[in-house]
Amino acid sequence: MYLYHYFDNTIGPFKNISDLSPKEAQAVLEDIRKRKPDTMCAQRQEEYVRTRIHFENILRNEFIKKGGIIERQVPHYMVVEESSWLSSWYENSSFIKIPIEEFDLSTVSFTYGDSHPTFSDRINDGKEYRKRLYTYDEILKIIDKYGYPQDWNKDGKYGPERYIEAHIWSDKVIQKYIKKYNDSRDL
């Protein structure tokens, strides 16, 4: 299994607006709306920063309940396996691909689908993976049962799940790949 992180190559990988203050994060989104209005990130709703903080608190609390190790307050976001839809989010799309074996699995959680609709009160379709956060062993069982959303729901017509989201609660492996990326840019 591989985890993918999609990003705009002109900005770089693992630039997490959750590492900023809410005011700074909102300013970044406003800048994206002005400079890159046709990108998916520019289409986020006005209350995105506030709802992101809300959902990240849920993710953190649920992961702690499962015995997960939190080494950073907000996760780095990745997805399980390739998602062509996510690659379309950026004008200068790129990705970093990391084998799951490189991570300390006690620092990685998962949602079947994006965490926002997964934990949203607006979606009440009764699917078993709604309002659920998974460990690695648990997500493998869900994948065995349902497959990868990017295979059966490429266009989103069967619901909001288009990929499996991975939440990386540590900087250890991420920093190694940021360094590799930066080193490759210096060549």
Side-chain angles (χ1 to χ4, degrees), residues 48-187:
Y48 177 76
V49 172
R50 182 184 55 76
T51 58
R52 183 173 170 133
I53 291 167
H54 170 73
F55 291 126
E56 286 175 340
N57 286 334
I58 291 171
L59 294 174
R60 185 174 40 266
N61 291 334
E62 291 299 311
F63 196 43
I64 289 168
K65 286 180 194 174
K66 289 182 173 281
I69 296 173
I70 304 290
E71 295 179 359
R72 53 180 282 124
Q73 279 304 106
V74 295
H76 292 291
Y77 291 92
M78 299 187 79
V79 296
V80 176
E81 301 302 345
E82 188 175 2
S83 170
S84 59
W85 182 60
L86 283 177
S87 70
S88 73
W89 281 28
Y90 306 99
E91 287 178 351
N92 300 294
S93 187
S94 192
F95 65 85
I96 289 178
K97 174 181 166 182
I98 306 174
I100 190 75
E101 294 81 13
E102 289 199 38
F103 293 96
D104 173 352
L105 295 177
S106 67
T107 65
V108 182
S109 62
F110 302 86
T111 49
Y112 193 81
D114 187 283
S115 55
H116 289 219
T118 294
F119 285 100
S120 173
D121 290 334
R122 295 183 201 165
I123 299 175
N124 297 300
D125 56 14
K127 293 180 179 174
E128 77 170 286
Y129 45 79
R130 296 281 180 250
K131 313 229 184 323
R132 298 275 315 269
L133 179 120
Y134 298 99
T135 63
Y136 176 69
D137 291 334
E138 291 170 333
I139 199 64
L140 290 177
K141 292 174 185 167
I142 295 297
I143 293 169
D144 282 345
K145 189 171 185 178
Y146 296 105
Y148 294 100
Q150 57 266 48
D151 292 341
W152 60 263
N153 197 26
K154 285 181 198 265
D155 59 7
K157 69 180 178 181
Y158 298 113
E161 52 277 9
R162 308 264 307 255
Y163 50 81
I164 298 166
E165 192 175 82
H167 321 106
I168 314 304
W169 297 95
S170 173
D171 288 322
K172 289 176 184 154
V173 174
I174 300 303
Q175 290 303 319
K176 173 181 151 186
Y177 279 85
I178 290 172
K179 183 176 180 346
K180 279 184 180 181
Y181 172 82
N182 290 336
D183 289 350
S184 72
R185 306 271 294 178
D186 292 337
L187 297 176

Side-chain angles (χ1 to χ4, degrees), residues 20-37:
L20 305 173
S21 72
K23 186 176 181 179
E24 291 169 319
Q26 193 63 43
V28 167
L29 288 179
E30 290 303 321
D31 184 57
I32 291 169
R33 285 185 183 111
K34 288 177 190 160
R35 289 187 309 109
K36 299 180 179 205

